[in-house]
Structure formats: structure tokens, C-alpha cells
Amino acid sequence: MKYLSLIALGLIFLAPIKSVSKNKSKYFYIFSYFKNNGKDGLHLAYSNDGFNWYSLNNDSAVLAPEVGIDKLMRDPCIIRGADNKFHMTWTLSWKERSIGYANSPDLIHWSQQKEIPVMAHEPTAKNTWAPEIFYDKTNKEYLFYWSTTIPSRFPQSEKRVGENNHRIYYVTTKDFEKFSETKILYGGNTSVIDATIQKINGSYHMFLKDETERADKIKRIYNLTSNDLKAGYGPLEQAITGDYNAEGPTLIKLKKEWLMYFDKPLLHQYGAFSSKDLKTWIDVSDKISLPKGLRHGSILKITKKEFKNLQSNLQTKI
């Protein structure tokens, strides 16, 4: 019985390694996310195929939040920068006027966390939610963007959206030390949050959540396009998601299709849509599997070598 137990234990530890060796792709996908209120910190999951996700580190946080009054790490967005480092930003509080930032060479060892006061110049700003980073190859700079409510700034829509009347703002930086003046990225005529940007075939696509209080009480995700990264998005036309509240979109490109993952907060579920042309979307929510309790985050691609290093440092649960 002892020998059988040892063999069984060995198979448990070998399972993750076996799954890696059978994967013919040169890449893996990493989902950065938070659980509950984000108090414990950054969580990571991985996928071989973009549909089935498995938690890393036994679904325990891999990085604890250290900055901000509330010390939260919600809505983590990680990108690979031009320097080949991983750069992350996150929501550090429900009510503060700053966002969090840190970088890592391997998703294991992280720099000192920094609080970036992107809305400190706006004394009445209520929040800075769901920040993301986009690397602008043309200007060789990083664009940080997020949603903020500034009371009375957009009175034309306050009656339709209630207390929180968000717009998307941005700053740019080349070195993560000096930042540009904060400007509007998407104003529009309604409240929007949870923007994420992809550059596809020369155009910029901004996926975001419309916060308008419509008669059906449903809030949906839209795809806006522009030829300019910093302006010209809109308008809100055909929604992608259906008759349920949806938020926190993030996208990955597979071989022949795009997948848009999103949170269904009131249903405590995650959904996904597939598209080959970013115009026609097919609901593939019944084809995905994710760690329990996964909330709003982002997805990036890493090499098999990077994944093996990540796996060897973080216990993997399948």
C-alpha cells in the first residue's frame, strides 16, 4: 500500500509536466485575475488552448498588494513591454485617485510597487477603475488608461447613468517615471468603464462596457474602432453581449479566431465570444472552463520556456 501511495503521489506531481510535454504549441496563455475583493492580491491561471484554464500556485495569490490606502489588487492587467519585461497595472482602491504599477522579468519576481497619482489634479474625482496598459510602437511609449467619474463634468448624461458617470482617461510614459498630462481617451455621450484596446490590421479596437441605465437594466459590451490610438473612438452601436450584465472584457488571438472573455458579475459566471472578423460574434461560453471565483483580469501569451520556469516556481493545480 505504501508503494501504491508513492506511485499515486508521483502521478499527481507529474500531471502538470505531462500536460506541458504534450503541448505542441510554442506558447502558453496566462490569465491574470483577482478573487473576491482583491485583498489577497494577484492570481494567475494558464491555458494550452485558450479555452481551458488551470490555476497556478494552487489558486493562491502570487503577489500581495502593498500600495494605496485600501491595498487592493483588482482588475490586474499585464502586458509584455518593448523591454521584454512584464508590466502590470491594477485598481488599488474603490475611491482613490491613483493606480498601481509593478514590473517583472518572469511573472515571479516583482519590482517595488508604485502608486501613480493619475487623477491627483482632479480634487473631486471619485475613483480610478480598471486601468490597462498598451504599448504604442509608433511613438515608443506606454499608454495607461482607466475609467474615472468627475461629478458634473458630463452633465448631459448624468440623468441616464446615475451617481457614477465614467469616462476613459489616459497618460503616457516612456520610462514609468515621468508621465504626461492626463487627457480624455473616450468621452462620448454616456458612461463607460472597463476599456481594453487591441491593434488589429492597422486599426485600434476598444472593447468596453456601456453603463447607461436602460429600461431593461442590462449593461453590455461594445467594440469601438479608431484609426488613432488616442482619439476618434465610437459610437456605441451594436452590442456584442446579450441579455445579462457583462463587464471586464479581455481578448486573445488564437490561430483562426479572436476570443473575448468577460465577467457576468450578477450571475457569478464568466462568458466568452468568438469572432474571425470582429464583426460577427458567436457565444462559446459553454466551451470554456476557468478556476472558480475568477474575476476581471487580462490575458497574455508567453513562451513554453517561460511557462516551464513559472510552473517550476509556482505549484500547479489541475
Side-chain angles (χ1 to χ4, degrees):
M1 292 295 291
K2 291 183 178 179
Y3 291 113
L4 288 174
S5 298
L6 287 173
I7 292 171
L9 185 60
L11 289 173
I12 290 172
F13 282 102
L14 284 173
I17 298 173
K18 186 176 181 181
S19 69
V20 172
S21 64
K22 283 190 173 183
N23 179 42
K24 296 180 180 180
S25 174
K26 296 180 180 179
Y27 301 98
F28 278 77
Y29 302 100
I30 297 295
F31 207 135
S32 60
Y33 62 100
F34 77 97
K35 299 184 70 173
N36 301 314
N37 194 35
K39 198 72 176 178
D40 64 337
L42 172 67
H43 288 253
L44 298 176
Y46 79 92
S47 174
N48 295 345
D49 59 9
F51 287 86
N52 300 290
W53 298 86
Y54 308 98
S55 60
L56 285 162
N57 204 37
N58 289 324
D59 207 21
S60 295
V62 302
L63 180 68
E66 298 175 352
V67 294
I69 296 173
D70 294 336
K71 289 184 171 58
L72 301 181
M73 193 170 276
R74 298 172 60 88
D75 320 317
C77 172
I78 304 176
I79 70 163
R80 188 192 298 274
D83 54 4
N84 209 37
K85 287 184 179 180
F86 298 102
H87 297 272
M88 178 173 70
T89 186
W90 65 90
T91 304
L92 51 77
S93 169
W94 284 96
K95 297 180 180 180
E96 293 180 56
R97 290 175 284 146
S98 300
I99 58 177
Y101 168 75
N103 65 68
S104 170
D106 53 15
L107 299 175
I108 302 163
H109 306 94
W110 290 88
S111 68
Q112 182 176 352
Q113 296 175 27
K114 180 186 297 187
E115 185 176 345
I116 306 174
V118 291
M119 297 301 288
H121 63 290
E122 293 281 1
T124 63
K126 297 179 64 176
N127 50 20
T128 48
W129 286 356
E132 296 215 359
I133 313 175
F134 181 92
Y135 180 65
D136 180 2
K137 292 182 180 179
T138 302
N139 295 305
K140 296 182 179 180
E141 63 185 11
Y142 295 87
L143 183 98
F144 282 74
Y145 55 101
W146 65 92
S147 55
T148 288
T149 287
I150 303 175
S152 302
R153 184 62 53 89
F154 297 94
Q156 73 274 18
S157 58
E158 286 192 354
K159 290 182 179 180
R160 293 184 287 108
V161 300
E163 183 177 335
N164 289 325
N165 192 15
H166 294 95
R167 296 301 188 275
I168 308 299
Y169 295 83
Y170 77 92
V171 295
T172 60
T173 183
K174 292 181 181 291
D175 58 9
F176 301 98
E177 296 294 334
K178 298 178 181 178
F179 295 86
S180 69
E181 176 186 351
T182 300
K183 296 181 179 179
I184 282 279
L185 182 60
Y186 181 74
N189 59 5
T190 188
S191 176
V192 290
I193 64 171
D194 295 353
T196 187
I197 297 172
Q198 294 280 345
K199 186 176 184 180
I200 304 167
N201 297 328
S203 295
Y204 299 95
H205 291 255
M206 181 188 291
F207 297 81
L208 45 65
K209 176 189 179 184
D210 177 15
E211 285 278 84
T212 301
E213 292 287 352
R214 302 184 187 280
D216 61 6
K217 304 295 183 181
I218 301 298
K219 297 178 180 181
R220 298 174 173 88
I221 292 171
Y222 292 77
N223 173 17
L224 314 183
T225 60
S226 176
N227 292 323
D228 183 346
L229 172 61
K230 300 173 184 175
Y233 294 96
L236 297 177
E237 293 180 332
Q238 185 65 40
I240 298 173
T241 52
D243 295 333
Y244 45 79
N245 281 291
E247 63 185 29
T250 188
L251 282 86
I252 57 172
K253 179 66 168 62
L254 303 181
K255 288 183 179 180
K256 297 181 179 181
E257 62 188 329
W258 285 89
L259 284 185
M260 183 190 76
Y261 278 86
F262 60 95
D263 203 341
K264 298 179 180 180
L266 300 184
L267 299 176
H268 304 288
Q269 298 174 358
Y270 239 79
F273 273 78
S274 168
S275 178
K276 294 182 179 180
D277 59 8
L278 300 178
K279 296 178 181 179
T280 302
W281 294 87
I282 300 171
D283 193 338
V284 293
S285 301
D286 60 343
K287 297 181 180 180
I288 64 173
S289 63
L290 303 103
K292 185 177 180 181
L294 182 150
R295 297 291 312 281
H296 184 163
S298 66
I299 300 173
L300 73 154
K301 188 167 66 174
I302 65 174
T303 66
K304 183 180 289 188
K305 181 179 179 181
E306 288 172 327
F307 175 73
K308 285 184 176 180
N309 182 51
L310 187 61
Q311 185 187 45
S312 66
N313 283 274
L314 301 174
Q315 293 179 331
T316 304
K317 179 180 178 182
I318 293 184

